Amino acid sequence: MDGMKKEQPESALQMRRRTSESTRHKLSAFAGALLKEWKRLGLPARDERVVVAVSGGADSVALLLALCEMVRAGRLDVKITAAHLDHGLRGAVGAEDARWVKALAEEFSLDFKIGRAEVKKLAAVSRDNLEQAARRARYEFLIKAARKVGARVIVIAHTMDDQAETVLMRLMRGSGAEGLSGMEAVSAFEDKGELSLVRPLLNWARRADTEEYCRERGVRFRVDEMNSDENFTRVRVRRQLLPLMQKFNPRVVETISRTASLLSEDASALNASAAELLRRASEEAENSSKPPALSVQILRAAPAAVRTRALRQWIARARGHLRRLELVHLLAVDGLLEGERGGRMIVLPGGLKISRRKQRLELHTEKG
């Protein structure tokens, strides 16, 4: 007993080091929730690069900070590229936003990509509204950035609030269940290879959560005054419609988000059936470069919900997109199937024409 070395009491410095070691891998509540969703969605956990869209607002800054926290804690082993696009709508303020995002990325030693677009000019050419043109420009920029750095995942900071606003806007435009299913947490870019668009905040985070997390981290996010401009439909939905609905149901945002998730599950099943219907109704060979004509008889025999989705897929393949296509247009195309008379035609937004010739539906582009 006398020969045993007597254990010395732990010094204050050693205690602080031990406490620091034990808490080093502990995540904040926000980052912990993000990590849980990241795993649930099956997103890459190591040996990958991800591109994070960062506008400078609370949502995107919170997402970036939480991903950095997860990496620093050893819970995630990915490389991060912060990507910011100046839409050319806010003059000097937009340029300042870009410098702010660049400084934030440098503070965390992150790779970053900064771009600029002239959204007003793009909107005039495409005949889209500013919001649609800005979204398209943003995604094109993010796709280019991802390809440049070799990333397969683009991460967007859409929250439950964004989902609720999107669903309500689509409801007012007359969208069907497909549109009312809202945004997906994980989706693939059509014809863009293996690139995936990921929204890991969509199913659980509110805008208030991202703002609170930024305050906890001591980071002052940027505020876009366009988010208060009620000339934009989304802003009016956010500032007028949703507050009114919350008087009837204080958790209306969560309710809308949950409903969108349920509709998304239904839509997935119906889309699979629609793809099979489209295959059976197509009359041209699969390797034909022309959009296939469709059998009226086969389409007419299918349930309306499946048939409408099949027509939607058919039009999307011909146009390359579904911009400005609403439920009223699909119903007009569906109306061509009625009766036995051919020689009828409708024109969709963008100039695409669909005609009924005897027992066939045919697509005609403007050039065709």
Side-chain angles (χ1 to χ4, degrees), residues 87-125:
H87 296 90
L89 295 172
R90 304 172 64 209
V93 177
E96 179 59 31
D97 286 345
R99 288 192 291 271
W100 188 91
V101 171
K102 178 181 177 182
L104 181 67
E106 290 176 337
E107 180 180 346
F108 285 88
S109 302
L110 300 177
D111 177 46
F112 60 89
K113 302 296 178 188
I114 304 292
R116 194 174 190 280
E118 295 292 342
V119 168
K120 285 186 178 179
K121 292 181 180 179
L122 294 173
V125 171

Side-chain angles (χ1 to χ4, degrees), residues 296 342-345 355-362 364:
V296 168
R344 291 174 285 162
M345 178 179 288
S355 67
R356 162 83 182 268
R357 296 188 180 181
K358 296 184 179 180
Q359 295 301 310
R360 294 158 58 94
L361 280 190
E362 298 181 348
H364 313 273

Side-chain angles (χ1 to χ4, degrees), residues 36 55 90 97 101 107 142 150-151 204 220 229 237 249 285 294 296 303 312 323 328 367:
K36 182 178 179 180
S55 66
R90 304 172 64 209
D97 286 345
V101 171
E107 180 180 346
L142 292 171
W204 63 274
R220 298 187 64 177
D229 186 351
V237 168
N249 178 2
L294 302 182
V296 168
R312 190 173 185 271
R323 291 195 299 274
V328 64
K367 293 181 180 179

Side-chain angles (χ1 to χ4, degrees), residues 115-354:
R116 194 174 190 280
E118 295 292 342
V119 168
K120 285 186 178 179
K121 292 181 180 179
L122 294 173
V125 171
S126 64
R127 292 180 291 179
D128 288 333
N129 61 41
L130 281 179
E131 185 178 5
Q132 292 169 332
R135 181 170 58 249
R136 190 165 67 258
R138 184 163 58 250
Y139 285 154
E140 289 175 357
F141 162 71
L142 292 171
I143 289 169
K144 289 179 182 178
R147 286 176 171 168
K148 191 168 185 178
V149 300
R152 295 189 302 166
V153 173
I154 296 172
V155 189
I156 305 286
H158 288 139
T159 64
M160 294 177 74
D161 297 84
D162 295 305
Q163 181 76 297
E165 293 162 9
T166 297
V167 170
L168 288 174
M169 290 170 63
R170 291 178 179 178
L171 177 63
M172 290 186 290
R173 286 203 304 263
S175 295
E178 184 78 23
L180 299 182
S181 62
M183 299 177 284
E184 297 180 11
V186 180
S187 57
F189 285 104
E190 292 184 8
D191 302 324
K192 301 298 181 183
E194 297 182 350
L195 268 179
S196 293
L197 181 67
V198 177
R199 300 178 175 95
L201 304 182
L202 191 68
N203 292 322
W204 63 274
R206 295 289 309 274
R207 192 165 290 130
D209 298 327
T210 64
E211 293 175 355
E212 178 61 26
Y213 178 66
C214 288
R215 284 191 286 267
E216 288 176 2
R217 296 293 305 274
V219 176
R220 298 187 64 177
F221 49 85
R222 306 286 290 177
V223 177
D224 184 351
E225 70 275 4
M226 292 181 70
N227 288 331
S228 301
D229 186 351
E230 296 191 7
N231 288 315
F232 295 99
T233 302
R234 181 176 291 272
V235 177
R236 292 198 301 275
V237 168
R238 179 183 306 150
R239 293 168 65 92
Q240 297 181 28
L241 183 55
L242 273 171
L244 177 62
M245 296 177 72
Q246 285 169 336
K247 292 181 180 179
F248 295 88
N249 178 2
R251 296 184 61 81
V252 69
V253 169
E254 290 85 349
T255 300
I256 294 173
S257 179
R258 184 168 60 250
T259 300
S261 296
L262 293 173
L263 287 172
S264 180
E265 293 173 5
D266 293 344
S268 295
L270 287 168
N271 282 336
S273 298
E276 173 58 21
L277 173 61
L278 192 59
R279 185 193 65 77
R280 290 191 292 108
S282 298
E283 296 188 346
E284 263 83 12
E286 291 185 2
N287 59 0
S288 173
S289 60
K290 293 175 60 179
L294 302 182
S295 166
V296 168
Q297 288 184 334
I298 293 176
L299 287 173
R300 198 158 50 192
V306 178
R307 183 172 65 241
T308 303
R309 281 170 171 75
L311 291 172
R312 190 173 185 271
Q313 293 176 11
W314 183 53
I315 293 168
R317 292 177 187 177
R319 296 174 83 205
H321 59 82
L322 289 168
R323 291 195 299 274
R324 309 208 322 264
L325 186 73
E326 299 178 7
L327 181 59
V328 64
H329 304 126
L330 291 174
L331 293 177
V333 177
D334 191 67
L336 293 176
L337 302 174
E338 298 175 359
E340 300 301 323
R341 184 172 61 87
R344 291 174 285 162
M345 178 179 288
I346 64 168
V347 182
L348 298 178
L352 186 71
K353 299 176 182 178
I354 299 179

Side-chain angles (χ1 to χ4, degrees), residues 11-58:
S11 68
L13 178 59
Q14 289 172 322
M15 289 179 66
R16 284 198 299 271
R17 286 176 175 172
R18 180 170 58 80
T19 302
S20 176
E21 290 289 334
S22 65
T23 60
R24 181 177 299 171
H25 302 297
K26 186 177 180 180
L27 294 175
S28 65
F30 186 89
L34 176 59
L35 178 61
K36 182 178 179 180
E37 181 71 355
W38 194 270
K39 291 179 178 178
R40 188 186 73 81
L41 296 175
L43 302 179
R46 59 183 63 256
D47 302 326
E48 290 268 6
R49 179 172 288 279
V50 298
V51 170
V52 182
V54 185
S55 66

